[in-house]
Amino acid sequence: DLGYRRALIFFGFVLVAYSNFLMADADTNTPFYVFAIWLVIARVGVSAIFPNLNVTGLRALPPELLVQGSGAINFIRQLGGAFGVNIVAVVLEDRAIYHAAALTATQTEGNSATLDLLERMRQVLVEGGYSGVPDGAIDPLAVMFLGQSIFAQAQMFAFRDTFLLIALVATCALVPILFLQGGGRETVPGQAQPPRRGKLPAEAPAE
């Protein structure tokens, strides 16, 4: 209640943006504990945002409207969360389809990496002890494995794009926070402000 709410909200969005910028660079080789640390950074930012937003919004209302204001804040937050989750899901699916199509278009006879992968898969199926695999099924299985690899890569790129989008949205949110009203340091009505460091409060004059 007595803190710098605007600064805390700004700090929270900075952490959210920073965490998503880091996750936008993740790939299949990113260790789990590193990704978990990035998620913790984002959650710390969220914990600094919502309580201060609620306090800032409610302090702008007269006492007789606090109940309605609290309900309105919770409703808007839930509505924004529902829209946000659905938008992120749509973007993720759309980017996955886009990257899958782009990667599939590169799988041609002139792609040496694709040919090398298919050849290695054939060797694994032939020399790896898979005696039950008929000769006519080796090439289709190798192509199926290639399709699964493309799908996994497309999903990874889609998640990276989505994290980047969230980071950009959080960064853009920093601008209106600078103009947030009622986000400064305040004192509770009727409470005396603490003395500044290094100075003692003046003594009351003797009668």
Side-chain angles (χ1 to χ4, degrees), residues 2 11 24 38 51 54 68 75 80 85 87 105 116 132 136 192 194 196 205:
L2 301 181
F11 174 72
W38 295 344
N54 289 343
Q68 294 89 333
F75 172 76
V85 170
I87 291 174
D116 181 66
R196 295 182 178 178

Side-chain angles (χ1 to χ4, degrees), residues 117-130 138:
L117 176 62
L118 291 175
E119 183 61 30
R120 283 189 287 128
M121 281 305 304
R122 294 189 188 98
Q123 293 178 0
V124 169
L125 292 173
V126 173
E127 302 173 2
Y130 298 94
I138 292 178

Side-chain angles (χ1 to χ4, degrees), residues 176-200:
I177 294 173
L178 299 176
F179 302 95
L180 184 66
Q181 299 295 325
R185 184 175 177 84
E186 299 177 4
T187 57
V188 177
Q191 179 182 3
Q193 295 186 359
R196 295 182 178 178
R197 183 177 298 179
K199 294 184 179 181
L200 297 176

Side-chain angles (χ1 to χ4, degrees), residues 1-37:
D1 290 338
L2 301 181
Y4 293 94
R5 292 187 298 277
R6 185 189 299 112
L8 289 173
I9 296 171
F10 190 92
F11 174 72
F13 273 99
V14 168
L15 288 183
V16 172
Y18 176 67
S19 173
N20 281 275
F21 271 123
L22 292 176
M23 288 188 286
D25 196 40
D27 55 24
T28 54
N29 297 320
T30 302
F32 171 78
Y33 72 91
V34 174
F35 201 86
I37 292 174

Side-chain angles (χ1 to χ4, degrees), residues 129-147:
Y130 298 94
S131 57
V133 179
D135 295 339
I138 292 178
D139 286 343
L141 287 175
V143 173
M144 183 183 68
F145 178 80
L146 175 63

